[in-house]
Amino acid sequence: MEISVELDTTNRPDEWKIEQGMAGHKLPILDQTGSDTINLYPPPPPKIIKDEEAIRSVGKREKLFTRERVGWKGYVEWENYPEKKAKAHKILTAQTFPACPDFMFGPIPGTNPVLPGDDFKAWHTALGGELTTVPDDSWRTVLREKHADMLHLLQFPYNGEPPKRLVTSKVITPNPLHFVRNHGGIPIIDKDKWDLSLDGLVQHPKSYSLSDLMDESRFPRMEKTVTIQCSGTRRIEQIALYGGQGDEVPQAPWAEGAIGTARYVGISLKKLIKDCGGLIKPAKHLELYGAETYVKDLEVGNYVVSVPWSKVKANEVILAWEMNGEPLPKIHGYPLRVVVLGYIGARSVKWLYRIKAIAEPSHAPVQAREYLYFNQQVGKFNQRPTDGIQIQEMPVSSAIMSPWTKQAVMHMGKIKCKGWAYSGGGRWPERVELSADGGFTWYDVPPEKLSKKGRWTWRTWEYDLPCDVEGWIEVVCRCWDNSLNTQPLNVRAAWNWGLHVTSSAHRIKIYSINKSREITKKRLDKYEQLGIPLAPLTRYETVPGQTPEEYEQYWRDHEPRDVDD
Ligand SMILES: Nc1nc2c(c(=O)[nH]1)N[C@H]1C(S)=C(S)[C@@H](COP(=O)(O)O)O[C@H]1N2
Ligand SMILES: [Mo]
């Protein structure tokens, strides 16, 4: 029979990869609702359209979306102007934008920045005016203020975390290494032109300059060491399990570095409210406004969330202008940010310019439609924002920073491990435990190997984990906080559509090479003698496990493999 050059097949070249779930984004949805199963394939990329007429009808963008105030570069006010919001929405919906690649089911690029954020850049360009240069200006600020080794997960809006080796290298995170989580650009605000207004349901609405806030005769200073943790920390473990909500920014594929600790100086928000004569009924929440522009579902606004009055009343909400002895870096909210003790990072609003006392939690998108913790059965086609719990305090969690997963470790019966542990809401890690057998037996990190306790801070730790076994093991870390809360044991138990709060015990796979074992030591010595490199682990064997003589000797000394009767 002739064999033709062309393969006689309807397979695609990447058939095997797709069948094996390594390219999930290419799979059709199987529609089994009728008598025949139908494949619902992703359509080809949509044609880029632009309704110039509709866009023109909105008006001059340079004028519409102009800088709100002198000395506030990159700040456009939206919340005060509903008609301006409507115009921006019209511009964004009168055209289509190139689709962002699906990196949750597909491969994540091996670049730094990992993801460019093309959609957010395109929206800023489309809106124009003051926003035109925001993506470039923001990136310049990143390069100026952040450490050269930062892992830039998303270039714009900028999201970056330090590499594992630097996450816990210091108990107080140096400013250039503190993770950054932005939803939009970085406004560049002149502190002498800046002020903060406090309005809504207060007796006497007022506004304050930075020197008003810094006046110690009016407001006592407050200084606190605080760990800020993004509720997306360790999201990559949830992504590795299943894809979730596909919005690019919430999908910043954080590893264990979206957490950082700093000493903040400022004042308690409670004092400011008192200075305004206190709240008037029915005020129960404080809405906090950040100056940058955020786009959610093609609706444009400022970054707005809220905190309950009870939290403010407890002096647990700081207005901070100093971070680790320096003025706040621009990227961290200069000139003033909120630091909410023990809450997820999202409530600690940067570039704060307005506080409004309100009756209910904010209805703004970041408060009402994001940072929600859903039940596992909630997903794309049945989710309603009210099905999610609005995330405030983070539960107890922990992470191993060294070694790394899939690493081979050669040791003498103990594996050196390092990491962090944290609990939200004013609780602190009381005990950190490690397991070398996937979570069956646990060793506790001795107290002297944990950094100092603090109500609002993480604890870093180091531990030499006893490990006798050879081969692939699973090292697991979990923490118990002072209320004896602990972590779920696997990612699936905590998985949710928004991919938030990955608080399950942190698991890494390690190949253990125990040199305190006689046989292993002999073999490793042989490798060394012969000058053969040990890595990579999976290279074919060049040093035989036994000499032919040793092999013969064994069978002379032992019973044969099979029995006769
Ligand atoms: N104005 C403003 N404030 C913000 C954000 C933002 O995008 N804009 N992101 C929030 C989120 S989700 C987190 S986790 C923290 C991160 O603070 P950092 O960037 O200083 O580390 O800032 C919060 N405050
Ligand atoms: Mo966050």
Side-chain angles (χ1 to χ4, degrees), residues 159 181-183 229-232 235 245 249-250 254 294 296 303 305 344-347 365-374 385 388-392 394 496 498 500-501:
N159 288 303
R181 203 289 184 240
N182 287 346
H183 289 71
Q229 186 186 32
C230 180
S231 55
R235 167 177 284 154
Q245 181 183 308
V249 179
W254 298 115
Y294 176 49
K296 166 79 177 172
Y303 183 90
V305 293
I344 60 167
R347 314 297 172 220
V366 183
Q367 187 72 32
R369 289 190 275 144
E370 294 174 31
Y371 295 97
L372 300 173
Y373 192 84
F374 291 108
I389 303 169
Q390 291 185 6
I391 309 164
Q392 304 279 54
M394 281 299 268
N496 64 103
H500 286 289
V501 193

Side-chain angles (χ1 to χ4, degrees), residues 151 195 268 322 333 389 401 476 487 493 508 522 524:
L151 306 177
D195 65 24
S268 173
E322 195 181 297
I389 303 169
M401 290 299 95
V476 196
Q487 308 175 235
I508 56 168
K522 261 170 96 177
L524 289 169

Side-chain angles (χ1 to χ4, degrees), residues 146 157-160 178-185 187 228-233 249 254 257-260 264 288-294 302-305 323 328-329 331-333 336-338 343-353 366 370-371 500:
K146 300 316 284 187
Y158 182 71
N159 288 303
H178 197 283
F179 84 98
V180 176
R181 203 289 184 240
N182 287 346
H183 289 71
I228 293 184
Q229 186 186 32
C230 180
S231 55
T233 314
V249 179
W254 298 115
I259 182 166
Y264 295 94
L288 311 165
Y289 291 63
E292 86 278 32
T293 293
Y294 176 49
N302 299 102
Y303 183 90
V304 179
V305 293
M323 181 178 183
L328 270 183
I331 205 164
H332 291 291
L336 193 82
R337 81 171 298 168
V338 181
Y343 270 22
I344 60 167
R347 314 297 172 220
S348 291
V349 174
K350 306 190 275 189
W351 313 291
L352 182 75
Y353 69 95
V366 183
E370 294 174 31
Y371 295 97
H500 286 289

Side-chain angles (χ1 to χ4, degrees), residues 18 66 77 93 118 121-122 151 174 199 211 230 357 363 384 402-403 405 411 432 440 467 495 516 521 523 529 542:
I18 295 175
T66 186
E77 171 60 36
T93 49
D118 288 336
K121 288 178 189 168
L151 306 177
D199 59 74
S211 40
C230 180
H363 291 188
R384 298 169 299 184
S402 175
T405 202
H411 58 90
V432 174
F440 194 73
C467 173
W495 191 93
S516 73
K521 181 179 179 335
R523 180 77 65 82
Q529 253 172 37
T542 44

Side-chain angles (χ1 to χ4, degrees), residues 405-457:
T405 202
K406 300 280 170 79
Q407 225 167 6
V409 182
M410 187 163 61
H411 58 90
M412 295 300 287
K414 284 179 177 180
I415 297 176
K416 289 189 177 56
C417 301
K418 280 185 199 191
W420 55 258
Y422 171 74
S423 189
R427 291 170 293 276
W428 58 87
E430 193 53 46
R431 180 191 294 155
V432 174
E433 296 181 329
L434 276 95
S435 168
D437 60 5
F440 194 73
T441 50
W442 297 91
Y443 296 87
D444 61 338
V445 176
E448 62 276 13
K449 290 290 189 185
L450 277 155
S451 64
K452 261 182 59 193
K453 293 180 196 181
R455 261 196 87 191
W456 310 107
T457 58

